[in-house]
Amino acid sequence: MDRVRQDRPGARRRISAAMAVGAAAALAVTALAAPAQSADTHATGTKAASTGAAGAGAADVNVAKNAGFEADLSNWTCAANSGVAVTSPVHGGAKALKATPSGQGTAECSQIVAVKPNSTYKLTSWVQGGYAYLGARGTGATDVSTWTPGTSSWQQLSTSFTTGANTTSVTVYTHGWYGQSAYYVDDVSVFGPDGGGGPDPVEIPPVPAGLAAGTATPTSVDLSWTPSSTATGYTVYRDGTKVASASGASTTVTGLTPETTYSFQVSASNAAGESAKSTAVSVRTPKGDGGGDGTVPRHAVTGYWQNFNNGATVQKLRDVSSQYDIIAVSFADATTTPGQITFNLDPAVGYSSVADFKADIAAKKAAGKSVILSVGGEKGTISVNSDASATAFANSAYALMQEYGFNGVDIDLENGLNPTYMTKALRQLAAKAGPKLVLTMAPQTIDMQSTSGGYFQTALNVKDILTVVNMQYYNSGSMLGCDGKVYSQGSVDFLTALACIQLEGGLDPSQVGIGVPASTRGAGSGYVAPSVVNNALDCLTRGTGCGSFKPSKTYPSLRGAMTWSTNWDATAGHAWSNAVGPKVHSLP
């Protein structure tokens, strides 16, 4: 994995300075208010009373049209064609707005809404991604706006305005900021008296009824509910946190912990917004079978979390998308003792203390995730080539597991490894950690071309304790597939034909994952769109979506996919995890 390729400190300093100046100017000119953080009021579907000449609160409606962008950009105007309706990420319904600033443009999208004079309106929207602003102008009184400097998850912006004595229309708008990344907007509401244009044609759907739990395994549970009229989608919550989306009235929630009690709720969404959450149902998962991979589900998504700042979005573990089942903290550091590793939390990632970091690990584990420590990376210098260094590795790795709460380790040694002594080290670690050790590997493509290679030998040597091998299908150029033909990186054939070597070379399908960059900036070469990854997964597990290479059989128990990194994924608006995560979790 690449720690530093994207690291351009000078460029980052210049951008940061420009952002600071721009933000200060915006504050001075428009008197922006601090964004509201409420995450609950949008879901009630109740009507709020307005002031002034509005009359009774019961008459209040959302006067914005196509408020959830379900009709693409109908009723909206985006400057310089900067906006487009997208299907991911969305807050409610099936679509949202994505707008991308460029040059001197802020990617403003606006709508003129009909209002009543001398009336108060509450203006809200949900935003994600880069800098996002929400405002109203032409109010006839005091124009308003609010903003956020960007977020990797949906955040609600909220403000209010009062119309003047002769005001019958107001322009509501949203925009980004010069030179910043794309922003996303969904579920806009201009809530107040009907100004003559009528409400948005779609109303928030009723709360789903009949939520019930079906089959529960140690790591998953089937949920179903009664469909809500007018709903276009549903959101499933586990202990109050969003964990899944569904288009129909059922889903399977994965990534759970054996012998654990969970509370589930579901809400319904459409273009008008999201309903309140349903009555909760409690489910306790049964005892596991004592397998060797802890809480890792049958099909899993692995993401590497960067313990450094190289220009990608800086995250805390708590901000990593719930689509990831295994989070590999990158990376462990070498000491002066051969084979020994340690971990140093980088201040650049923003934790106030090591205790705060440990608390995030514990929270992810409580949510059914596995957090492991990755050893190596592009600059890794850890060497295990003797009995003493093997013991030093095992002892230090286990000590870090105990200190931080890591579930296991990831072997990402890109400068070669000795299969004899690495095998000894991993077996010593497994003896200490027990059967729930999570052990993953991230070899380069060249490392898995033949079972005679050191990496492949090591994987086969520890097959009985190995969770998954997520080979890096990038930064490699062309390689041989299992049929002896040469395939170029960046294609579905490259992914499937090279995975076939591992699948037919002795690894169990449950120990094979597809490793790809989360964005074009995440690697020097080999990026493929999430749709290509999904085609490869379908090809290997179902025999569909293949390119020119089609395996002689399918591998339904294929473990899943991996990406470098959760940070680059966040930088790209979570496009990779939002597309590949649901695909992996729906594999047979």
Side-chain angles (χ1 to χ4, degrees), residues 1 58 195 293 317 487 499:
M1 306 296 178
D293 57 2
L317 284 177
Y487 293 96

Short mmCIF file of all heavy atoms in Angstrom, two decimals, residues 1 58 195 293 317 487 499:
data_model
loop_
_atom_site.label_atom_id
_atom_site.label_comp_id
_atom_site.label_asym_id
_atom_site.label_seq_id
_atom_site.Cartn_x
_atom_site.Cartn_y
_atom_site.Cartn_z
N MET A 1 0.84 -1.19 0.00
CA MET A 1 0.00 0.00 0.00
C MET A 1 0.88 1.25 0.00
O MET A 1 1.93 1.26 0.59
CB MET A 1 -0.91 0.01 1.21
CG MET A 1 -1.75 -1.24 1.36
SD MET A 1 -2.90 -1.43 0.00
CE MET A 1 -3.66 -2.99 0.47
N ALA A 58 -51.22 24.02 10.67
CA ALA A 58 -51.69 22.86 9.92
C ALA A 58 -51.61 23.10 8.42
O ALA A 58 -51.65 22.16 7.63
CB ALA A 58 -53.12 22.52 10.32
N GLY A 195 -47.67 29.11 -0.77
CA GLY A 195 -47.71 30.39 -1.46
C GLY A 195 -48.50 30.37 -2.74
O GLY A 195 -48.43 31.32 -3.52
N ASP A 293 -12.09 -16.71 12.40
CA ASP A 293 -12.05 -15.36 11.89
C ASP A 293 -12.98 -14.41 12.62
O ASP A 293 -13.57 -13.52 12.04
CB ASP A 293 -12.33 -15.34 10.38
CG ASP A 293 -13.67 -15.98 10.02
OD1 ASP A 293 -14.38 -16.41 10.95
OD2 ASP A 293 -13.98 -16.04 8.83
N LEU A 317 -11.52 6.71 13.03
CA LEU A 317 -12.13 5.41 12.79
C LEU A 317 -13.64 5.47 12.85
O LEU A 317 -14.33 4.76 12.11
CB LEU A 317 -11.61 4.38 13.80
CG LEU A 317 -10.19 3.84 13.58
CD1 LEU A 317 -9.82 2.90 14.71
CD2 LEU A 317 -10.08 3.12 12.25
N TYR A 487 -3.16 -10.68 -19.26
CA TYR A 487 -4.26 -9.73 -19.09
C TYR A 487 -3.73 -8.41 -18.55
O TYR A 487 -2.82 -8.39 -17.72
CB TYR A 487 -5.31 -10.30 -18.14
CG TYR A 487 -6.03 -11.49 -18.70
CD1 TYR A 487 -5.60 -12.79 -18.39
CD2 TYR A 487 -7.10 -11.34 -19.56
CE1 TYR A 487 -6.24 -13.89 -18.93
CE2 TYR A 487 -7.75 -12.44 -20.10
CZ TYR A 487 -7.32 -13.71 -19.78
OH TYR A 487 -7.95 -14.81 -20.33
N ALA A 499 -7.56 -13.85 -9.95
CA ALA A 499 -8.17 -14.47 -8.77
C ALA A 499 -8.25 -15.98 -8.95
O ALA A 499 -8.10 -16.74 -7.98
CB ALA A 499 -9.57 -13.90 -8.55
#
